[in-house]
Amino acid sequence: MRISDCGSDNVWVQCFPMTLESLRQQIREYDQQYRQGKPLISDAEYDRLFQELKRLEQQGREPIPVDSPTQQVGDAPISPSEKRVRHNMPMLSIENSYNIDELREFGKRVKKSLDNEPTWTVELKIDGVAISLIYENGSLIQGLTRGNGIEGDDISHNLHMVIDIPKTIANKNRIEVRGEVYMRNCDLAKLNEEQQERGDKIYKNARNLTAGTISLKDPNEETDKKKKLEILAEHERRKLRFFAHSVGSYEGIQAKTHWDFLQELAVLGIPITPCAKLFASFDEAVEYCEAFHNDDHLSDLDFEIDGLVLKVNDFSQREQLGATGHHPRWAIAYKVERYEAITVLRAITVQVGKTGTITPVAELEPVEIAGTTVSRASLHNAEEIERKDIRIGDVVVVEKAGKIIPRIVRVEKHLRQKEWEPFVFPTACPECGGAVSKDEDGVYIRCNNARCPAQFKEKLRYFASRNAMDIEGLGEKLIEQLVDSGVLRTFGDLYRLDAESLKGLERMGEKSAGNLLESIEQSKNRELSKLLNALSIRHVGNRTATLLAEHFGSLDRLRRAAEIEIAEVDEVGPAIAKSVFEFFQREKEMLDDLLEASRFACGSQPSGIPRAGRLSNMTIVVTGTLQHFKRTEIEGIIESHSGKVSSSVSSKTAFVLVGENPGSKLAKAEKLGVRIVSEAEFLAMLEH
């Protein structure tokens, strides 16, 4: 049994009665398999095992052997025959963390060891091969791998393969620059296309190919002219690149901080790690790390990363913090476990939403990710499919963003068995056959037919949802039956339903029908903001619906308002005003029919909540998991009481509503002295 089969954080303790030495040997075997491009366990599993070994060694009474994996840095030598060179300064590894709590503990240790609060840089952790470049008198004279951290392999003969490493720079001092050699995904795909054409094996991933490429034999050592030309040709095909991320020896460097050092390198023409950011405090850096993996633009990167690296910015503070034999005390890697898998795209279907948006959906060969089976994933829009070049039949990498929402990260183009046809987006609505059009200055394609049955089904589903009219029992399958049978053609028809019209429908007995009709009756008393949200007016959600209801006070006043009047509402701009105005002009008959059938009691503000609500003029931040409410529900309650929900804490925040497992917003609130309110306190506040 492999350790990865055990499924426990305390992996080997749970699964194996190992001695310390056998555990060390197990880790050495994993290291060897990883270097050969055949990893047996994930990075997270390996790190947990590694941390467990460190913990046990520190608790033990025996001295730690010098050949223990905890005392080693970097990779094994490329080969016994290669030249080994001693680094001017040790080239250490970086401590890893997999959650925000571990990051905070690291930040506390650093702060405790320094007199002044440091500034921080955050950079992408490039998944490549670490090397060191040495320039002297303006010329590149040597390149070394990390090796064991003390000595590295001389790879100077292969630096010509790294496209963007400058051979000369405008600085005559001796400068040592450290960074990552990597291969772009598009270059890997092109190389594999050539491999297929030649009938050769394809390469599985960019990182392993980079490691193998940088260690290729020096063609100048080949005496056979033909073989030498073949080696040179192979070098030419493998296009490697470089990002600088660290300084080695300080000679020739004017900068006093890491951020200034990166700028200095950029002026010299040395490519620096992209997307680097500078933060004034550790809390700000952590907040960025929390949000990092939700940023959709990361899928646009054409190279592999496996996390972020946080570094103390000031060089003098780094010297004060020092290093262990394994890693510096001034840097840490934040590595989030990837919940992803590889599968096959079997088909692309399209769905029509409540505002007519035609959304493509990937139909996948079912695959398990983070404990659930994934068979579908949204492709968002036509431009997304074209940008990622997604085709039916492709092998794709699917990720569960935040363990919840499946999405296609990329296509493994090097595994494309043949040239599949590009997907052709529908030129007419797939449901009603009506005309479609693309949003002006947007990416979405919509069905223009307001009476499209598919749109109406989605609108009905949203109309009945909890954030709208909250009609319990009106589920998706019942909506399908009612619309397909012609019983429901408009919103008004919903309020004309009776027991007779529901008779004979699937899973609709006398009791179920009675409950549904009672819930529909109760919905007539919903406040105006709920009705406005329920109507699926484009650009109008909970917040905007509440603002419109508070400003106009009745549906009749809003329907008669001019576009310019609507635009004067706080937080309602010209685009929203235009959408609202045009909706009421276009849907006059539908609204008249709905109001006649329902006799809504929402012409004015709901009883019990004055125009200036209990939370009027308060900006409130919500963080953590609440016991009684979903996030959208609590935000709706805040807005219905005239409060404003914000995603970030500032000195203007009235209070932070805190649930279980709060994020960095709690720490920031405490630092700024902002009031902290529990869920129970919040509910009591509303009651009183």
Side-chain angles (χ1 to χ4, degrees):
M1 178 170 65
R2 292 210 321 257
I3 288 182
S4 59
D5 296 326
C6 302
S8 168
D9 284 349
N10 223 350
V11 198
W12 78 265
V13 171
Q14 299 284 335
C15 303
F16 297 98
M18 282 184 169
T19 64
L20 270 177
E21 188 51 43
S22 60
L23 176 57
R24 292 182 187 116
Q25 185 56 36
Q26 184 79 65
I27 292 177
R28 291 186 191 106
E29 290 175 9
Y30 285 145
D31 287 338
Q32 184 178 4
Q33 292 296 319
Y34 179 79
R35 287 192 291 268
Q36 294 174 0
K38 303 172 184 177
L40 295 178
I41 58 176
S42 69
D43 285 355
E45 289 172 313
Y46 177 88
D47 285 338
R48 281 195 286 266
L49 196 64
F50 189 89
Q51 291 302 319
E52 185 64 22
L53 175 60
K54 281 177 62 177
R55 185 183 71 82
L56 292 170
E57 286 183 337
Q58 289 166 3
Q59 288 180 351
R61 298 181 180 179
E62 298 295 323
I64 301 173
V66 293
D67 65 343
S68 172
T70 61
Q71 307 304 303
Q72 303 298 306
V73 177
D75 305 318
I78 292 172
S79 72
S81 62
E82 293 293 338
K83 182 182 177 183
R84 302 283 280 177
V85 179
R86 191 176 184 85
H87 293 295
N88 289 331
M89 294 172 56
M91 198 168 174
L92 303 178
S93 294
I94 297 179
E95 184 180 0
N96 290 329
S97 68
Y98 281 90
N99 59 63
I100 295 297
D101 289 339
E102 290 177 356
L103 274 187
R104 292 195 189 286
E105 285 302 316
F106 169 79
K108 289 176 183 177
R109 292 199 305 269
V110 169
K111 188 174 182 178
K112 189 176 180 181
S113 302
L114 295 174
D115 299 327
N116 300 313
E117 177 84 18
T119 56
W120 293 83
T121 61
V122 180
E123 303 160 35
L124 301 180
K125 189 174 185 300
I126 312 299
D127 192 12
V129 176
I131 69 166
S132 174
L133 302 176
I134 299 164
Y135 288 89
E136 198 169 82
N137 294 321
S139 297
L140 177 62
I141 63 168
Q142 195 171 49
L144 304 174
T145 65
R146 185 201 305 276
N148 61 12
I150 304 301
E151 293 180 328
D153 295 298
D154 192 330
I155 52 163
S156 305
H157 61 278
N158 280 337
L159 293 181
H160 68 277
M161 286 189 292
V162 187
I163 296 170
D164 43 13
I165 292 180
K167 305 304 182 285
T168 59
I169 58 174
N171 189 313
K172 300 299 182 183
N173 294 302
R174 182 181 175 88
I175 299 176
E176 183 184 357
V177 178
R178 293 171 176 180
E180 296 282 324
V181 175
Y182 70 99
M183 180 179 284
R184 297 189 310 185
N185 291 327
C186 65
D187 290 329
L188 175 64
K190 185 176 180 181
L191 180 61
N192 276 328
E193 287 175 9
E194 295 173 2
Q195 291 290 102
Q196 285 181 317
E197 290 174 4
R198 293 160 55 151
D200 293 336
K201 69 173 184 178
I202 59 174
Y203 301 107
K204 291 184 178 180
N205 64 70
R207 197 267 175 197
N208 291 340
L209 180 57
T210 300
T213 300
I214 205 70
S215 62
L216 286 174
K217 183 180 179 180
D218 186 349
N220 293 319
E221 294 180 1
E222 181 57 62
T223 55
D224 186 293
K225 189 174 181 179
K226 183 179 179 181
K227 288 184 177 180
K228 181 176 181 178
L229 291 173
E230 288 175 352
I231 294 172
L232 287 170
E234 184 63 25
H235 282 205
E236 185 67 25
R237 294 174 64 230
R238 304 189 185 192
K239 293 179 172 59
L240 303 182
R241 297 170 190 272
F242 176 78
F243 283 134
H245 58 53
S246 301
V247 59
S249 55
Y250 281 74
E251 184 184 344
I253 298 293
Q254 302 299 316
K256 303 298 181 185
T257 68
H258 179 64
W259 186 257
D260 289 342
F261 159 71
L262 291 178
Q263 313 315 311
E264 191 173 327
L265 287 189
V267 171
L268 293 174
I270 299 174
I272 61 174
T273 179
C275 306
K277 292 182 179 292
L278 177 64
F279 295 97
S281 70
F282 188 73
D283 286 340
E284 290 178 12
V286 171
E287 191 170 336
Y288 172 72
C289 290
E290 281 186 296
F292 174 76
H293 281 268
N294 295 322
D295 289 347
D296 207 37
H297 73 272
L298 293 173
S299 61
D300 296 339
L301 297 176
D302 197 23
F303 50 86
E304 296 300 313
I305 64 171
D306 58 354
L308 298 167
V309 180
L310 294 82
K311 301 176 183 176
V312 170
N313 186 36
D314 189 270
F315 287 158
S316 62
Q317 289 182 319
R318 290 185 180 185
E319 289 185 3
Q320 187 178 341
L321 290 164
T324 69
H326 183 266
H327 59 264
R329 293 192 177 95
W330 44 261
I332 191 169
Y334 173 53
K335 299 174 74 172
V336 176
E337 291 188 63
R338 294 178 177 178
Y339 297 94
E340 61 180 33
I342 295 177
T343 188
V344 177
L345 176 62
R346 294 301 185 194
I348 296 177
T349 57
V350 290
Q351 296 177 339
V352 182
K354 60 187 176 70
T355 59
T357 307
I358 300 175
T359 304
V361 178
E363 307 291 343
L364 305 166
E365 185 73 30
V367 63
E368 186 171 311
I369 308 176
T372 60
T373 300
V374 174
S375 58
R376 310 183 87 211
S378 173
L379 293 171
H380 303 293
N381 53 65
E383 289 189 6
E384 175 87 349
I385 295 175
E386 184 178 353
R387 180 174 59 82
K388 292 183 177 177
D389 191 20
I390 298 171
R391 306 185 185 188
I392 297 171
D394 273 338
V395 176
V396 295
V397 175
V398 182
E399 175 189 66
K400 259 192 173 182
K403 298 190 190 179
I404 300 172
I405 305 168
R407 64 168 185 152
I408 291 181
V409 179
R410 66 178 181 275
V411 174
E412 298 286 53
K413 294 181 184 177
H414 58 283
L415 298 178
R416 192 174 270 170
Q417 297 300 311
K418 64 179 184 178
E419 197 63 20
W420 307 111
E421 290 295 322
F423 178 72
V424 179
F425 210 82
T427 55
C429 175
E431 295 288 343
C432 70
V436 300
S437 62
K438 188 176 182 181
D439 288 352
E440 185 177 348
D441 298 324
V443 297
Y444 292 104
I445 296 173
R446 301 177 190 273
C447 169
N448 299 327
N449 178 16
R451 300 293 177 263
C452 172
Q455 283 189 58
F456 183 54
K457 289 176 183 177
E458 289 300 309
K459 286 176 181 176
L460 268 177
R461 187 178 63 79
Y462 189 76
F463 189 90
S465 66
R466 185 172 293 184
N467 287 329
M469 303 306 284
D470 194 12
I471 301 176
E472 192 172 343
L474 190 61
E476 191 171 334
K477 290 188 176 180
L478 181 57
I479 288 172
E480 288 276 346
Q481 293 183 73
L482 291 169
V483 175
D484 290 345
S485 63
V487 174
L488 291 188
R489 291 188 175 88
T490 67
F491 286 134
D493 289 342
L494 185 63
Y495 292 90
R496 298 185 184 96
L497 286 176
D498 53 27
E500 186 64 29
S501 59
L502 296 173
K503 190 181 294 184
L505 295 177
E506 186 180 345
R507 296 182 182 178
M508 186 54 63
E510 186 177 334
K511 185 177 180 180
S512 298
N515 290 339
L516 173 62
L517 293 174
E518 175 61 25
S519 188
I520 292 173
E521 186 65 27
Q522 290 176 1
S523 74
K524 295 179 181 180
N525 298 312
R526 305 285 184 249
E527 55 263 37
L528 176 58
S529 62
K530 294 289 187 181
L531 175 60
L532 293 177
N533 185 33
L535 291 174
S536 293
I537 306 170
R538 193 174 169 197
H539 301 316
V540 175
N542 272 332
R543 175 67 179 167
T544 304
T546 301
L547 294 170
L548 291 171
E550 288 176 350
H551 184 87
F552 289 99
S554 73
L555 184 60
D556 186 55
R557 280 189 61 200
L558 177 57
R559 290 181 70 183
R560 290 187 285 107
E563 185 176 332
I564 191 170
E565 291 180 85
I566 301 172
E568 290 172 353
V569 178
D570 186 36
E571 297 183 36
V572 175
I576 298 175
K578 184 173 188 289
S579 176
V580 173
F581 178 77
E582 290 180 350
F583 174 84
F584 286 120
Q585 300 301 306
R586 184 178 64 249
E587 300 294 347
K588 182 180 183 304
E589 291 183 9
M590 181 274 290
L591 277 169
D592 288 342
D593 179 67
L594 173 60
L595 294 174
E596 181 183 347
S598 64
R599 303 296 179 185
F600 282 130
C602 62
S604 60
Q605 288 294 308
S607 60
I609 302 179
R611 186 69 172 268
R614 296 178 177 87
L615 304 177
S616 180
N617 299 320
M618 289 188 181
T619 298
I620 299 161
V621 174
V622 182
T623 182
T625 304
L626 300 177
Q627 184 178 354
H628 298 99
F629 303 98
K630 295 180 181 177
R631 181 60 60 92
T632 52
E633 291 172 344
I634 200 68
E635 288 177 352
I637 289 172
I638 292 170
E639 290 168 354
S640 70
H641 287 72
S642 302
K644 181 179 179 181
V645 180
S646 176
S647 60
S648 59
V649 180
S650 71
S651 58
K652 296 181 180 179
T653 302
F655 61 84
V656 175
L657 175 56
V658 178
E660 295 180 5
N661 302 316
S664 62
K665 295 171 186 175
L666 174 59
K668 189 168 184 180
E670 291 172 340
K671 182 178 180 180
L672 294 174
V674 173
R675 182 184 176 191
I676 308 298
V677 173
S678 69
E679 187 174 356
E681 290 172 322
F682 177 76
L683 293 175
M685 184 189 304
L686 294 186
E687 288 176 6
H688 296 115

